[in-house]
Amino acid sequence: MQVFIEKDYSAMSEKAAQIFANEIKQKSDLVLGLATGSTPIGTYKELIRMHKEEGLDFSKVVSFNLDEYYNLPPDDPQSYNYFMFENLFNHVNIKKENVHIPNGLVKDVETYCKQYDEEISKFGGIDLQLLGIGVNGHIGFNEPAEELILGTHLTDLTEDTIKANSRFFDSPEQVPTKAITMGIGSIMKAKKILLLASGKNKAEIMAKILNRDVVTTKIPASLLKLHPDTTIIMDEEAASLC
Ligand code: GLP
């Protein structure tokens, strides 16, 4: 596992975008695994700049998003679908048919989730998976638990996560309590994983992961230590307790 500590959010974002750009330049039909949350916004901004100013080409790139709130329509401004188009897809030349984001309105969730994983496999698997991290160590919406589900699935969000995500909603009652998420197995199958952590509120969880040589399903991100090609980029605040 490679760990980089960058001065601040913007240096972290630039480094992450550089890794993305290098991979896309090497393989134009790269399959990306993408994340939402505030952490990757700077990386997406930098990728948009690279597209506009340096011609970084997304025309053959394929993307799969990690997760989506359950029961939230794709055009809801709080949906991850909306987020991805606002923060990246509307500003680069990725083809709409190459974009995959779990559909939170689906009725037969089980069949749908199986198909989502099959679709990833059809494209040869994810080449580069971007991850943020929840304050409790969740990745995607794989929350701390005794057991973690391997494939894409419907999951209940923990109180911690609902509280953390409530900042994006007008009232706590509006915050979804369930989500469809890629499972820990879907994530670990990615050829390369890039986890970003920024800010003081991530310092404690990053220290729990990096200061001890253990893995636990109670901190899902700790399992990334078992992956052969994981890179973590933190800013100094997130790394302050490591
Ligand atoms: C949500 C997302 C995660 C993300 C996490 C952290 O729960 N499902 O993919 O990593 O939030 O978000 P932030 O980057 O805003 O701290």
Side-chain angles (χ1 to χ4, degrees), residues 7 20 50 63 73 75 89 102 110 118 132 138 144 151 162 169 176 200 202 219 222 242:
K7 194 174 178 342
F20 266 74
M50 287 171 164
S63 73
D75 59 353
F89 299 146
E110 215 170 298
E118 282 165 7
H138 76 232
I162 295 169
F169 293 82
K200 274 207 185 84
K202 300 292 167 69
I219 305 177
S222 70
C242 291

Side-chain angles (χ1 to χ4, degrees), residues 136 138-139 141-145 147-148 155-162 217-218 220:
N136 60 5
H138 76 232
I139 46 179
F141 271 130
N142 294 276
E143 297 279 27
E147 293 183 333
L148 297 178
T155 186
D156 290 319
L157 305 182
T158 61
E159 282 304 318
D160 279 352
T161 301
I162 295 169
T217 59
K218 304 278 174 63

Side-chain angles (χ1 to χ4, degrees), residues 35-40 66-67 69 80 131-135 138-141 161 165 167-168 201-202:
T36 53
S38 31
T39 309
L66 275 170
D67 46 16
Y69 288 122
Y80 286 169
L131 295 174
I133 181 167
V135 283
H138 76 232
I139 46 179
F141 271 130
T161 301
N165 292 351
R167 69 190 194 274
F168 300 111
N201 66 332
K202 300 292 167 69

Side-chain angles (χ1 to χ4, degrees), residues 24 29 33 50 92 128 146 234:
I24 294 171
D29 58 348
M50 287 171 164
V92 296
L128 174 59
E146 286 292 331
M234 295 179 277

Side-chain angles (χ1 to χ4, degrees), residues 18 20 22 26 28 38 74 76 95 97 99 110 161 168 182-183 209 232 241-242:
Q18 201 52 61
F20 266 74
N22 289 345
Q26 275 173 42
S28 58
S38 31
D76 187 300
K95 294 204 174 90
E97 64 265 31
V99 166
E110 215 170 298
T161 301
F168 300 111
M182 270 164 57
I209 294 169
I232 294 180
L241 299 176
C242 291

